[in-house]
């Protein structure tokens, strides 16, 4: 059976680490594991290559990991540190010759239509990002790819034209389980891929959602600081959630410079099943 493989494209909070203008020990650290892009993961699951969130560091993350193909992008919510890089899918539109499939809740699509109005215009400027938006809810859903769908062909000064391919549809699909959480009052989605679950930008998960997190090999959860925060789990709360979920391995992401340097953080958590993630970390299940 093919394993699910997850790569942390970014493990930092909304400002990333280092923070502009900050002279704290974490931001001044020379350890590469203390250099954190905005949070995002790449998941290779059942023959699909799926990105969860595309923040402002999307381009740099893709180049760093040498990623040249995506089957889909899943969006957890509509905040800019999770959607601010979506314009850069233009490169994949051109190299792969197809629109990018984006799966998100309806309110997230509505936000994209405001922030990227030019991508939804009836008369598009040539070269704007090409997306296919699929609305999802808090129910299991299928990511479906038709490898025989019409291709986009670039026509100079005109933009893309759809070119049909011979033969009928050639469909691939995988089933994703969403996990409802709340980012203060904002509803967000985490996602389960096989035995790996990714839950970021939450400070509350309804009790009924925990059944979706049973039997995990890896559980990924956000935390930004010690103590409490208005829209993220504090470290102590995140550790309590990890204990409740009971995965074999738990990983902390969306980390800010208010938490220790990576090496010190690992020592602090020594002896537990919880560790801080870092950019480029790969886990499998």
């Amino acid at each position: 059976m093919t394993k699910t493989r997850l790569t942390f494209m970014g493990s930092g909070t909304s400002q990333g680490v280092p923070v502009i203008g900050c002279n704290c020990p974490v931001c001044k650290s020379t350890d590469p594991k203390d250099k954190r892009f905005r949070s995002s993961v790449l998941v290779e699951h059942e023959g699909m290559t799926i990105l969860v969130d595309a923040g402002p560091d999307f381009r740099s993350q893709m180049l760093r990991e040498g990623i040249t193909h995506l089957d889909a992008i899943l969006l957890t919510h509509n905040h800019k540190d999770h959607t601010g890089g979506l314009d850069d899918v233009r490169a994949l539109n051109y190299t792969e010759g197809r629109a990018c499939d984006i799966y998100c809740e309806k309110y997230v699509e509505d936000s994209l239509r405001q922030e990227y109005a030019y991508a939804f215009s009836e008369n598009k400027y040539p070269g704007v990002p090409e997306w296919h938006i699929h609305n999802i809810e808090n129910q299991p859903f299928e990511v479906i790819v038709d490898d025989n769908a019409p291709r986009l062909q670039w026509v100079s000064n005109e933009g893309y034209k759809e070119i049909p391919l011979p033969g009928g549809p050639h469909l691939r699909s995988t089933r994703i389980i969403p996990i409802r959480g709340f980012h203060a009052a904002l509803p967000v989605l985490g996602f389960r891929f096989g035995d790996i679950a990714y839950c970021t930008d939450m400070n509350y998960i309804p009790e009924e959602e925990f059944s979706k997190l049973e039997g995990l090999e890896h559980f990924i959860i956000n935390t930004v600081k010690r103590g409490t925060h208005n829209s993220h789990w504090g470290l102590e709360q995140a550790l309590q959630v990890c204990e409740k979920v009971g995965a074999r391995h738990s990983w902390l992401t969306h980390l800010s410079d208010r938490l220790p340097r990576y090496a010190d953080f690992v020592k602090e958590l020594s002896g537990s099943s919880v560790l801080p993630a870092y950019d480029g970390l790969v886990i499998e299940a």
Side-chain angles (χ1 to χ4, degrees):
M1 183 175 177
T2 303
K3 289 186 175 182
T4 299
R5 187 174 190 265
L6 182 147
T7 302
F8 286 86
M9 304 294 279
S11 58
T13 191
S14 59
Q15 295 188 78
V17 180
V19 177
I20 295 171
C22 184
N23 292 309
C24 77
V26 176
C27 288
K28 289 299 183 182
S29 171
T30 58
D31 185 347
K33 292 178 180 176
D34 289 322
K35 310 299 182 187
R36 301 182 182 277
F37 283 139
R38 269 60 76 92
S39 289
S40 171
V41 293
L42 183 85
V43 182
E44 296 163 274
H45 177 65
E46 296 183 344
M48 296 279 194
T49 301
I50 298 170
L51 185 73
V52 181
D53 289 336
D57 302 314
F58 170 76
R59 175 180 174 275
S60 296
Q61 291 165 332
M62 295 286 283
L63 290 171
R64 184 195 68 207
E65 297 298 328
I67 307 300
T68 59
H69 166 76
L70 291 176
D71 287 304
I73 296 176
L74 313 185
L75 298 178
T76 58
H77 62 298
N78 64 340
H79 285 172
K80 202 72 168 181
D81 55 318
H82 297 263
T83 65
L86 285 173
D87 183 83
D88 284 324
V89 303
R90 291 181 295 131
L92 294 179
N93 295 154
Y94 185 79
T95 58
E96 297 204 83
R98 68 181 188 88
C100 180
D101 287 295
I102 297 175
Y103 292 75
C104 63
E105 294 190 84
K106 180 62 168 59
Y107 85 87
V108 179
E109 178 188 355
D110 292 343
S111 179
L112 296 180
R113 287 181 177 275
Q114 292 183 40
E115 295 190 37
Y116 295 98
Y118 58 89
F120 296 93
S121 173
E122 184 174 344
N123 298 308
K124 293 182 180 179
Y125 182 86
V128 301
E130 298 286 340
W131 306 328
H132 288 159
I133 308 288
H134 308 265
N135 287 155
I136 57 175
E137 298 178 346
N138 187 25
Q139 298 291 334
F141 63 94
E142 300 282 329
V143 170
I144 301 173
V145 175
D146 181 2
D147 290 323
N148 235 15
R151 289 296 184 262
L152 298 178
Q153 182 174 319
W154 178 256
V155 178
S156 183
N157 297 321
E158 295 185 31
Y160 288 109
K161 303 293 184 183
E162 281 198 345
I163 307 298
L165 294 181
H170 183 269
L171 302 180
R172 295 182 288 119
S173 67
T174 187
R175 184 172 183 265
I176 309 297
I177 299 174
I179 299 103
R180 168 64 74 212
F182 287 87
H183 189 31
L186 181 72
V188 301
L189 289 177
F191 301 103
R192 179 168 181 163
F193 308 86
D195 291 331
I196 300 178
Y198 179 72
C199 294
T200 190
D201 286 55
M202 297 180 182
N203 65 342
Y204 175 69
I205 295 178
E207 191 62 35
E208 62 270 19
E209 295 295 293
F210 279 93
S211 62
K212 300 177 182 178
L213 300 171
E214 294 175 354
L216 290 173
E217 181 74 15
H218 296 281
F219 176 55
I220 302 157
I221 185 173
N222 62 291
T223 186
V224 296
K225 55 177 279 190
R226 303 184 195 279
T228 59
H229 188 277
N230 66 302
S231 60
H232 288 272
W233 275 302
L235 176 59
E236 297 80 7
Q237 294 170 307
L239 294 176
Q240 289 171 4
V241 176
C242 290
E243 184 176 0
K244 182 173 182 175
V245 170
R248 289 190 63 187
H249 307 279
S250 293
W251 304 92
L252 304 174
T253 193
H254 212 287
L255 305 172
S256 79
D257 60 341
R258 295 189 182 187
L259 291 164
R261 287 175 292 191
Y262 175 81
D264 296 330
F265 207 4
V266 169
K267 290 178 183 177
E268 179 180 327
L269 295 170
S270 177
S272 76
S273 61
V274 184
L275 285 172
Y278 57 86
D279 292 19
L281 171 67
V282 176
I283 58 176
E284 293 185 341

